[in-house]
Amino acid sequence: MSQARRDTPNERLAPKAVVGRLSLYLRQLELFERQGLITVSSRRLGTVLGIGDAQVRKDLAFFGQFGYPGVGYRIEELGQALRRVMGIDHEWPLALVGLGNLGRALLKYRGFRARGFRIAALLDNDPKKIGHSHSGLVIEPIDACARVVAEHHIALAVLSVPGEAAQATADLLIAAGIVGILNFAPVTLTMPPHVNIVAVDLSIQLENLAYLVANTEPKPSATRLPEQAEGG
Amino acid sequence: MSQARRDTPNERLAPKAVVGRLSLYLRQLELFERQGLITVSSRRLGTVLGIGDAQVRKDLAFFGQFGYPGVGYRIEELGQALRRVMGIDHEWPLALVGLGNLGRALLKYRGFRARGFRIAALLDNDPKKIGHSHSGLVIEPIDACARVVAEHHIALAVLSVPGEAAQATADLLIAAGIVGILNFAPVTLTMPPHVNIVAVDLSIQLENLAYLVANTEPKPSATRLPEQAEGG
DNA sequence: TAGATTGTTAATCGATTAACAATC
DNA sequence: TAGATTGTTAATCGATTAACAATC
């Protein structure tokens, strides 16, 4: 419940790499909190995430002064501060667009809800799906997105339509006022500058993994030396 | 069917950022190929992906000399070369571990198959699920992973178990010979150095999007100037 | 040939790591 | 106090961009 102490918000947008790590820090802080810890040092926080202590401090310092020299960071306070700088100190209603296999799985995915993201509307263009209910929500036609977005004050959309439909659907969503899209379609979308997109291309991730595996030394011996691996 | 011309494989592992873009290049090349194009310049390839022409050339040059001055890149030839350097010029059998909502959606996801990844085995620890068939495959207990991995020559696993089970399950998979994991569990896994991991954390991606949206200027006017957005 | 475009070198930019005075 | 740890500056490292001779 304490307030952040010396919050010196930075004018610039944080580097993408920093923001990605912020989410990792927050997740780990919440874990530490459940374990009953009160404070944590940059070294300890970094170690469990495979990140150097200097980098942890630098990342956090970008947004303000949250630590106490000689003590470390107060976990609850830092967690609150990070939620605020990340813009997730309040709920975000989402539109889920495209209710194929992946879309329906995302609808039931509990990780979103746990992080303050609430799916508030379902959109699909398949006449066989429109009108059906999933998890208490009725699927509406994509044409209705302007009304739906306004009604529920939705800013973010999760796009899980087929690749062929992705750009046209995104255009409709943007016209309806959507300003952020989490794109699961395997397509590079073209956007006006005020709209943000984060692409999650599962095949590309798997390809990157294949490359790494194809170019990594095999296990050198029976000895194993645990080491950290990263992700976004 | 042509061979790459002057392939000068680089000893070093390519930077992560380069590998990520390689997948984008390949996807776009395949699109161009379907559109009937024969050659493409670095400028054109870059433009549609929102990447500079110098960067496209530099990325490709890391792996060899694939272009023709004055002409550009032969699309089919470059595509083949990229598939080879990425290690996806052959099929990869996968183990899908964890058949919750997300796991079942991934099983039906067609993007994997289209890219040479074939789910060859299903593993889950829920007694209610073991023995049931999905898409022609029988769910086996995770304890059986050593046998299953050996039988199907599986190197890569897709891990979609709950966060609490992720590390223990990953340890079993590694002991069974798995050397690459696509991790959907919201947990930072600890790995021996010969094992690669790519983390796909959907909540983190959505958090990054929320940050961007919360810190982006709103639409300045009615004029729109389309611009490229990126993703991995 | 003239025009286009590569591969590569040099210049710039940004991100990570190391070091340390200041603080508790 | 002595020990721990921060925030920040300087040093290093890596990645991107610009420029251009070489090539077709």
Side-chain angles (χ1 to χ4, degrees):
Chain A
M1 286 295 105
S2 45
Q3 288 298 313
R5 294 178 309 134
R6 289 152 287 152
D7 192 345
T8 326
N10 202 311
E11 283 305 311
R12 291 168 294 131
L13 197 63
K16 210 178 125 177
V18 174
V19 181
R21 287 191 296 267
L22 240 46
S23 289
L24 294 175
Y25 299 150
L26 180 57
R27 192 166 78 185
Q28 191 60 45
L29 288 170
E30 290 173 350
L31 193 59
F32 282 148
E33 200 168 6
R34 285 198 296 277
Q35 291 169 358
L37 293 183
I38 302 301
T39 65
V40 69
S41 67
S42 57
R43 171 182 291 268
R44 182 162 182 188
L45 179 55
T47 299
V48 291
L49 294 171
I51 295 171
D53 60 313
Q55 179 144 87
V56 171
R57 290 197 300 279
K58 193 127 224 254
D59 285 348
L60 298 177
F62 187 91
F63 301 99
Q65 297 184 300
F66 304 113
Y68 299 85
V71 177
Y73 298 88
R74 294 186 180 158
I75 289 172
E76 189 195 344
E77 178 189 316
L78 181 58
Q80 278 205 315
L82 291 188
R83 275 186 288 270
R84 189 160 36 75
V85 302
M86 289 167 64
I88 56 167
D89 54 344
H90 56 83
E91 201 184 69
W92 288 84
L94 305 178
L96 175 59
V97 188
L99 282 135
N101 288 314
L102 186 58
R104 288 194 302 273
L106 294 172
L107 175 58
K108 290 181 187 152
Y109 185 63
R110 283 145 73 243
F112 289 159
R113 196 62 192 260
R115 242 76 196 60
F117 298 102
R118 179 177 56 87
I119 293 174
L122 307 180
L123 297 167
D124 200 299
N125 257 352
D126 183 345
K128 291 200 213 72
K129 290 176 183 161
I130 293 168
H132 286 226
S133 277
H134 285 269
S135 307
L137 294 168
V138 179
I139 300 178
E140 312 212 42
I142 294 178
D143 292 339
C145 69
R147 196 201 75 232
V148 166
V149 162
E151 215 167 271
H152 298 276
H153 303 97
I154 296 174
L156 306 182
V158 175
L159 187 61
S160 52
V161 300
E164 310 83 65
Q167 182 67 59
T169 306
D171 291 344
L172 283 176
L173 293 170
I174 293 163
I178 288 291
V179 291
I181 295 178
L182 186 67
N183 177 35
F184 285 88
V187 171
T188 301
L189 297 175
T190 300
M191 295 283 128
H194 73 282
V195 177
N196 287 284
I197 187 154
V198 169
V200 181
D201 191 312
L202 303 180
S203 297
I204 284 186
Q205 306 277 27
L206 207 35
E207 283 177 20
N208 289 359
L209 181 62
Y211 173 81
L212 289 171
V213 167
N215 292 91
T216 297
E217 298 293 313
K219 186 162 62 168
S221 79
T223 326
R224 72 151 68 178
L225 163 68
E227 189 173 272
Q228 190 51 35
E230 180 267 348
Chain B
M1 284 291 105
S2 46
Q3 288 298 314
R5 296 177 309 134
R6 291 152 287 153
D7 192 345
T8 325
N10 202 310
E11 284 304 312
R12 290 168 295 129
L13 197 63
K16 211 177 124 177
V18 174
V19 181
R21 286 191 296 267
L22 239 45
S23 289
L24 295 175
Y25 298 151
L26 180 56
R27 194 167 76 187
Q28 190 61 45
L29 287 170
E30 290 173 350
L31 193 59
F32 282 148
E33 200 169 4
R34 284 199 295 276
Q35 292 169 359
L37 293 182
I38 302 301
T39 64
V40 69
S41 67
S42 57
R43 171 181 291 268
R44 182 161 182 189
L45 179 54
T47 299
V48 290
L49 294 171
I51 295 172
D53 61 313
Q55 179 144 86
V56 171
R57 293 197 298 281
K58 193 126 224 256
D59 285 348
L60 297 177
F62 187 91
F63 301 98
Q65 297 184 300
F66 304 112
Y68 299 85
V71 178
Y73 299 88
R74 295 188 179 155
I75 289 171
E76 190 196 345
E77 178 188 318
L78 180 58
Q80 278 206 316
L82 290 188
R83 274 186 289 269
R84 190 160 36 73
V85 302
M86 288 166 65
I88 55 168
D89 53 345
H90 57 82
E91 200 184 69
W92 289 84
L94 305 178
L96 175 60
V97 187
L99 282 136
N101 288 313
L102 185 58
R104 288 195 303 272
L106 294 172
L107 176 57
K108 291 183 189 149
Y109 184 63
R110 283 147 72 244
F112 289 160
R113 196 62 190 261
R115 242 76 196 62
F117 298 102
R118 178 178 57 88
I119 292 173
L122 306 181
L123 297 167
D124 200 300
N125 257 352
D126 184 344
K128 293 199 211 74
K129 290 177 184 161
I130 293 168
H132 286 226
S133 277
H134 285 268
S135 306
L137 294 167
V138 178
I139 301 179
E140 311 210 44
I142 293 178
D143 293 339
C145 69
R147 197 201 75 234
V148 166
V149 162
E151 216 167 88
H152 299 276
H153 302 99
I154 296 173
L156 306 182
V158 176
L159 187 61
S160 52
V161 300
E164 310 83 67
Q167 182 67 58
T169 306
D171 291 344
L172 284 175
L173 293 171
I174 293 163
I178 289 291
V179 291
I181 295 178
L182 186 67
N183 177 36
F184 286 88
V187 172
T188 301
L189 297 175
T190 300
M191 294 284 129
H194 73 282
V195 178
N196 286 285
I197 187 155
V198 169
V200 181
D201 191 312
L202 303 179
S203 297
I204 283 186
Q205 306 277 30
L206 207 35
E207 282 177 20
N208 289 359
L209 182 61
Y211 173 80
L212 289 171
V213 166
N215 292 90
T216 298
E217 297 293 313
K219 185 163 62 169
S221 79
T223 325
R224 71 150 69 178
L225 161 69
E227 188 173 273
Q228 190 51 38
E230 180 267 348

